[in-house]
Amino acid sequence: MSKFLKTPIDYLKGVGPERVSLLQSELGIYHYEDLLTHFPFRYVDRSKYYKINEITLASAEIQIIGKITGLSEIGQSRGKRLVARFADETGQMELVWFKYTKWMKENFEKMINIPIVAYGKPNEFNRTFSIIHPEIETLENQKSAPQGLYPVYSSTEKLTKKGVSNRVWQKMQMQLLSEIKEIEENLSDDIILKFNFSDRLTTFRQIHFPKSTEELKKAEDRLKFEEFFFLQLGLLIKKINHQRKYKSNEFSVVGKYFNEFYENHLPFELTDAQKRVVKEIRTDMGRPVQMNRLLQGDVGSGKTMVALLSALIAADNGFQTAFMAPTEILAQQHFESMKNYLSEMDIKIGLLTGSTKTKDRKILDEKLTSGEIHILVGTHALIEDHVRFKNLGFAIIDEQHKFGVAQRAKFIRKGKFPPHTLVMTATPIPRTLAMSLYGDLDISVIDELPAGRKPIMTVHRKDKDRLGLFGFIKTEIKKGRQIYIVYPLIEESEKMDYKDLMDGYDSITRAFPLPDYAVSIVHGRMKTEDKDFEMQRFAKGETQILVATTVIEVGVNVPNASVMVIESAEKFGLSQLHQLRGRVGRGAEQSFCVLMTKDNLTEDAFTRISTMCRTNDGFEIAEVDMQLRGPGDIMGTQQSGILNFKIASLVKDQKMMTTARYIAEELLKDDPELSKPENQKIKQHFAEYHKEKIEWSRIG
Ligand code: ADP
Ligand code: MG
C-alpha cells in the first residue's frame, strides 16, 4: 500500500503511548495499514430501538433506551454478579454482569438515572427479562456513533480493561479514515470495471462504516477478491518459475512396455477418470519440464493402476521409477500386486524398506545402479542418501499429500534431472483448499469408482444394539466374508484406549470362539513382525475377524473383507472415518460400515456420524469436515499460515476463490511478466505483498 499507510500508529490523533504499545503487543497493530485492515467481525443494525414491553424470548440482539435505576452486587464468590435495574416507560428488566471490574462498576454508577442504550440478547429468568453482559453507553454518546450498520471489532481482554471499548475502536477507525486522502489502486482498470468495484478508499470506508447491507457486500466482495487474487497470482507465478527452472527428461515415446501391458495384461477396463488422468500425466511427462502433479482420488478409485501405467511410460523411455508408500505393509502390498500385474512382462521390480536385509540390499543396490530394476517400491528408505539409481526419471509418493510435497525435494537430487513427480492422496481436499495450498501444482482428480462396485451401506448403532451386530457379523462370516473391528487409539488417552481395545478383543473372542472362528488382533504396541504376521493371516483369510487400532487406516487391501465396525466412532474425525470405511467395499460383495457410538452425541459428532451415513463421496465429506473444523485444522498448523485470510473464507467464499484463480490465470496468459502498462498497479502491489509473504514464511 502507499507510504502513508506505513505511518506508525503513534501518529494517529487521540491514541496515547499506552494504547499504542497495547495495540502492538496484543494485536500486532503497528502501522496505519494494520489498523485499517483490522476489519469489523460483525455489524449490528442499530436503526431500530425496542421498548421493554416489546421483548419476547425469541428476540435476537436488540437495543433499548432506558435508565439504570439502581445497582447491586448479589450472591457469593462464584455466583457473584453485578445487577442493574433498568427501566423505560413501558417496564423493567435487569442488566447482569458476572465478570466485571471495579472500574466498570464505578462507571455504571455514574450512569444512574441518565438515558442510556443497552444492547444485547434478552433472556428470561424468574419472569424477568435480563441481558447478560450487555453493551451499554449513554444516549448522548450513541448519537455520535456511526449511522447505518454499527461495526463490532474483535479485541482482547487487556485492551477492553484498559478502556479500549468498541466505541474507542470505532473512533480510532474514523480518525484514521479521516486522515487518509487516497489509497493507491492495486487492480487494473479492466478488473475494476469487470466487477464494478469501488475505489480502495471508498471500499475501506464502507467496510468499516457501511450505510447499508448493499454497501457492505460490495466492500466485502472487493476485499475478498483482493486476498484470493494476490494469493493465486503468487501461486501461479511460482508454478511458471518452477517450470522454467526445472528442466526434466522428456518422455517422448509411449512404447512397448506400456502398449503390451495395456493391450494384453490390463486386468480390467480403466474407468474414464483413470484414462483421463493417465493422459494428463502422459502429456505432462512428454515435455522437457518437471511434472509436479497431485493426484486426488477417493479410496478404491484405482490410483495404483494409474501409477503403474505411468511408470511403464518411464520405462519405455529408459527411465527408472521410485514408488514410495508411507508404511511397510503398504509398500509390501504395492510390491506384490505390481509384481502380479507385471508377471508376464519383462519388467523388474524391487522392494526396499527399513527391514530389507543388508545382503539383499547389496544385490538391490547393484541392480539399481546397473539399471536392471525398472520400478523400486519402498518406504522412506527410498529417499535415504545412499540409495542410487542409474537414471531415476519418475517418483511416485503414495497417500501422503501432507508430507509428499516436501519429500519431492529429496527425490530431485537423485536423477540427472529432477524426476517427474506424482503425489497421490486418498484424503480428498476440498477444491478451494487444494487451490490455495497446492495451487502451484497441477492437480488431477479421479472422481469415479470402478464400475460394479456397490456403494458401502453405512449405519449408526449404539451399545444396546450389540447383540444384533454380533448376529449380523455371524451371518456375514457364514457367507465367507471377513470383518474389521476398529478401536480408536488417541495418544492422550492411550492407556484407556488400550484397555478398551483389550476388553473389546476379549468380548469378541468370547462371542466368536474357536474352532468355528479365528480372530486376529493388531495394535501399535506389537512388534512389527508380529503385526505383519497377524495382518498376513487376515489377508490370507485364515482369520475372519481383525480387531485393530487405526494401524489399518491407510491403504490396506483385503477385498474379501466386507464389514467395517468402528467402535467409539464419535471419537474419530471425519476424514479418518472415511479412510477406515474405505478398507471395505473393495470386492464385488455388498459391504457394510457400522458406526458404534455412545448414546448421547455432541452436535459435531452427530454431524460427523450422519454425514458418514448419508454419503460415500470423499469430496463431499471433506467439505463438511472443513466446515466443522475450519481449513487450518484440517491441514495442521504447518500449512495454515497461507490460510490466514483477513476477511475471505475458504468455506463461505468458494465461488470468489474460483473466480480469483480464473482471473489470475487469464491475466498471466495475456501478460506473464506483468509488463504491460495497464498491469503495473497489480505488479507493484504484488511485489510488496510477495515480500511480506516471504518474510512471513521465513519467520513461520
Ligand atoms: P486407491 O485409489 O485407493 O489406491 P487401488 O489402486 O488400491 O485404490 O484400487 C482399489 C481396487 O480397485 C484394487 O483392487 C484395484 O485392482 C481395483 N481397480 C482399480 N481400477 C479398476 C478398474 N478400472 N476396474 C475394476 N477394478 C479396478
Ligand atoms: Mg492406494
Side-chain angles (χ1 to χ4, degrees):
M1 275 193 219
S2 68
K3 280 223 175 60
F4 178 76
L5 287 178
K6 290 287 168 209
T7 313
I9 48 160
D10 310 57
Y11 289 83
L12 191 66
K13 235 169 89 189
V15 182
E18 192 194 25
R19 277 189 189 164
V20 166
S21 83
L22 271 175
L23 286 172
Q24 291 174 345
S25 61
E26 290 287 291
L27 291 168
I29 295 177
Y30 288 88
H31 302 114
Y32 280 12
E33 179 182 352
D34 303 326
L35 183 60
L36 192 64
T37 55
H38 187 74
F39 299 126
F41 76 98
R42 65 185 176 94
Y43 302 82
V44 172
D45 185 356
R46 291 205 134 170
S47 56
K48 169 144 180 70
Y49 294 94
Y50 282 74
K51 299 283 179 211
I52 290 177
N53 70 358
E54 289 173 334
I55 299 176
T56 68
L57 264 185
S59 304
E61 292 176 324
I62 57 172
Q63 56 181 356
I64 308 153
I65 301 174
K67 285 178 184 169
I68 293 178
T69 55
L71 262 179
S72 46
E73 283 178 287
I74 299 179
Q76 297 292 316
S77 60
R78 295 183 100 235
K80 195 169 151 190
R81 58 200 185 270
L82 180 65
V83 178
R85 282 172 302 285
F86 182 66
D88 68 4
E89 68 277 12
T90 71
Q92 284 221 25
M93 63 183 295
E94 288 180 346
L95 308 176
V96 182
W97 291 267
F98 290 96
K99 277 190 200 159
Y100 57 96
T101 60
K102 200 164 137 252
W103 178 82
M104 281 164 72
K105 192 175 150 221
E106 285 165 7
N107 209 24
F108 298 153
E109 271 159 5
K110 282 184 220 148
M111 288 186 185
I112 289 181
N113 279 329
I114 57 174
I116 64 160
V117 180
Y119 172 82
K121 181 168 172 25
N123 300 302
E124 191 179 346
F125 187 69
N126 281 347
R127 296 188 178 194
T128 308
F129 281 110
S130 60
I131 299 179
I132 313 289
H133 291 174
E135 283 173 30
I136 64 175
E137 69 180 323
T138 62
L139 188 59
E140 189 65 28
N141 254 339
Q142 168 140 111
K143 280 188 187 138
S144 65
Q147 302 303 302
L149 296 176
Y150 189 94
V152 183
Y153 294 90
S154 62
S155 193
T156 68
E157 205 177 318
K158 225 170 175 174
L159 278 161
T160 314
K161 269 194 184 146
K162 294 284 179 187
V164 184
S165 61
N166 196 47
R167 281 292 290 137
V168 172
W169 274 108
Q170 291 173 355
K171 281 182 183 153
M172 289 193 295
Q173 297 289 11
M174 269 185 199
Q175 177 62 31
L176 177 59
L177 284 163
S178 75
E179 286 184 28
I180 302 174
K181 295 289 163 290
E182 199 192 334
I183 299 179
E184 269 168 49
E185 191 43 71
N186 60 2
L187 297 174
S188 62
D189 294 347
D190 211 32
I191 293 176
I192 291 173
L193 206 68
K194 187 174 279 158
F195 291 93
N196 188 25
F197 285 146
S198 305
D199 65 82
R200 291 191 85 204
L201 182 52
T202 307
T203 299
F204 280 110
R205 288 222 161 96
Q206 295 182 341
I207 197 75
H208 287 290
F209 302 108
K211 295 220 169 52
S212 63
T213 44
E214 291 73 35
E215 259 190 33
L216 174 61
K217 167 90 170 52
K218 197 164 167 182
E220 278 176 346
D221 278 354
R222 169 161 185 153
L223 293 166
K224 286 173 182 175
F225 177 83
E226 283 181 24
E227 277 196 301
F228 285 149
F229 175 73
F230 284 102
L231 171 74
Q232 289 304 330
L233 202 60
L235 290 163
L236 289 166
I237 288 175
K238 192 168 158 199
K239 183 170 162 184
I240 294 175
N241 287 341
H242 182 98
Q243 287 171 349
R244 282 189 192 145
K245 191 164 142 207
Y246 290 107
K247 301 279 164 253
S248 191
N249 304 295
E250 186 178 332
F251 294 174
S252 51
V253 297
V254 174
K256 69 168 198 295
Y257 290 129
F258 182 92
N259 289 328
E260 187 195 333
F261 183 79
Y262 202 90
E263 275 150 33
N264 303 325
H265 306 298
L266 199 63
F268 36 68
E269 169 90 7
L270 293 187
T271 63
D272 287 344
Q274 283 172 315
K275 282 182 198 162
R276 187 187 68 234
V277 171
V278 170
K279 212 172 191 175
E280 285 167 357
I281 294 171
R282 195 175 75 191
T283 312
D284 245 16
M285 296 197 300
R287 284 192 286 248
V289 283
Q290 189 202 17
M291 174 173 81
N292 231 334
R293 192 167 275 279
L294 179 73
L295 172 56
Q296 290 200 66
D298 222 333
V299 267
S301 62
K303 294 183 291 294
T304 321
M305 186 50 72
V306 169
L308 177 62
L309 287 164
S310 312
L312 292 177
I313 297 176
D316 274 335
N317 289 274
F319 287 94
Q320 292 166 298
T321 295
F323 189 154
M324 187 165 87
T327 65
E328 182 120 11
I329 295 177
L330 263 183
Q332 183 86 36
Q333 255 186 15
H334 279 321
F335 174 70
E336 304 281 338
S337 64
M338 286 201 174
K339 225 170 61 179
N340 261 336
Y341 286 141
L342 299 170
S343 58
E344 284 165 42
M345 288 191 44
D346 184 22
I347 284 269
K348 285 265 169 323
I349 314 181
L351 175 68
L352 175 67
T353 69
S355 55
T356 306
K357 304 244 163 40
T358 320
K359 193 182 73 198
D360 298 334
R361 190 162 186 148
K362 283 224 174 84
I363 303 170
L364 205 59
D365 278 346
E366 260 164 46
K367 289 183 178 172
L368 269 180
T369 40
S370 73
E372 195 185 326
I373 285 185
H374 298 92
I375 302 172
L376 181 64
V377 181
T379 53
H380 278 73
L382 295 189
I383 49 175
E384 282 165 19
D385 286 336
H386 55 82
V387 181
R388 298 242 159 70
F389 292 83
K390 179 172 180 228
N391 52 2
L392 179 67
F394 184 30
I396 301 161
I397 301 169
D398 192 22
E399 303 284 4
Q400 295 235 301
H401 66 268
K402 280 191 200 165
F403 314 105
V405 177
Q407 283 159 347
R408 286 178 313 176
K410 301 233 170 177
F411 278 118
I412 285 183
R413 289 179 280 118
K414 291 198 181 288
K416 276 186 212 87
F417 285 119
H420 297 296
T421 58
L422 182 68
V423 175
M424 304 200 291
T425 170
T427 313
I429 311 165
R431 225 170 83 82
T432 49
L433 191 55
M435 237 185 241
S436 17
L437 286 174
Y438 307 120
D440 55 332
L441 309 184
D442 289 303
I443 300 180
S444 289
V445 180
I446 305 185
D447 49 7
E448 180 188 358
L449 292 181
R453 291 256 173 92
K454 296 196 181 76
I456 301 163
M457 265 182 65
T458 303
V459 292
H460 177 199
R461 292 286 180 272
K462 296 177 177 174
D463 237 359
K464 62 173 167 35
D465 310 318
R466 198 166 289 278
L467 269 181
L469 173 67
F470 284 175
F472 171 70
I473 291 177
K474 282 185 179 155
T475 348
E476 287 300 298
I477 292 177
K478 234 178 235 141
K479 289 194 218 152
R481 307 286 114 75
Q482 288 168 283
I483 320 290
Y484 292 108
I485 302 179
V486 176
Y487 285 81
L489 192 68
I490 304 158
E491 269 166 52
E492 305 99 73
S493 57
E494 203 179 328
K495 268 202 189 116
M496 231 181 76
D497 289 334
Y498 184 70
K499 190 176 171 302
D500 285 353
L501 171 76
M502 282 317 186
D503 290 351
Y505 177 65
D506 279 350
S507 79
I508 286 155
T509 45
R510 257 179 277 124
F512 299 89
L514 287 163
D516 293 343
Y517 302 97
V519 182
S520 282
I521 182 165
V522 171
H523 59 79
R525 294 191 178 183
M526 287 163 69
K527 286 204 204 104
T528 312
E529 305 110 75
D530 297 343
K531 264 196 278 193
D532 287 357
F533 177 77
E534 284 294 305
M535 273 307 306
Q536 292 304 342
R537 284 212 311 149
F538 183 70
K540 284 185 208 145
E542 292 169 16
T543 59
Q544 295 99 13
I545 299 178
L546 177 68
V547 176
T549 54
T550 45
V551 285
I552 57 160
E553 193 177 329
V554 206
V556 176
N557 192 16
V558 181
N560 191 48
S562 65
V563 180
M564 167 64 68
V565 179
I566 304 176
E567 294 285 346
S568 304
E570 73 275 10
K571 290 192 188 171
F572 290 87
L574 257 180
S575 73
Q576 239 184 340
L577 289 172
H578 180 60
Q579 281 288 321
L580 285 169
R581 179 168 61 183
R583 299 303 111 217
V584 297
R586 307 195 140 220
E589 319 305 333
Q590 174 65 56
S591 288
F592 302 91
C593 175
V594 183
L595 304 172
M596 298 294 291
T597 72
K598 59 181 185 183
D599 281 339
N600 294 317
L601 296 181
T602 62
E603 202 179 308
D604 248 39
F606 183 75
T607 307
R608 273 179 268 137
I609 302 293
S610 49
T611 302
M612 288 294 294
C613 294
R614 185 186 74 231
T615 177
N616 278 301
D617 179 343
F619 284 94
E620 192 180 333
I621 289 169
E623 287 287 345
V624 177
D625 199 22
M626 183 160 87
Q627 277 161 25
L628 287 179
R629 291 196 292 156
D633 271 358
I634 292 192
M635 303 314 298
T637 47
Q638 224 185 357
Q639 284 156 316
S640 58
I642 317 173
L643 305 176
N644 282 338
F645 298 109
K646 280 211 146 100
I647 187 163
S649 151
L650 283 180
V651 178
K652 294 189 196 123
D653 305 315
Q654 311 207 348
K655 230 168 149 180
M656 183 61 93
M657 170 69 108
T658 314
T659 307
R661 168 98 180 176
Y662 173 76
I663 300 284
E665 276 168 354
E666 292 296 300
L667 175 69
L668 291 174
K669 240 184 249 164
D670 175 58
D671 185 11
E673 308 283 336
L674 295 180
S675 54
K676 294 192 174 172
E678 62 266 33
N679 294 327
Q680 289 320 294
K681 288 170 189 157
I682 293 177
K683 189 174 183 173
Q684 259 161 34
H685 182 88
F686 177 72
E688 233 173 89
Y689 160 90
H690 201 59
K691 209 174 83 205
E692 273 170 29
K693 276 270 161 181
I694 288 171
E695 273 160 16
W696 189 92
S697 70
R698 282 209 190 104
I699 301 162

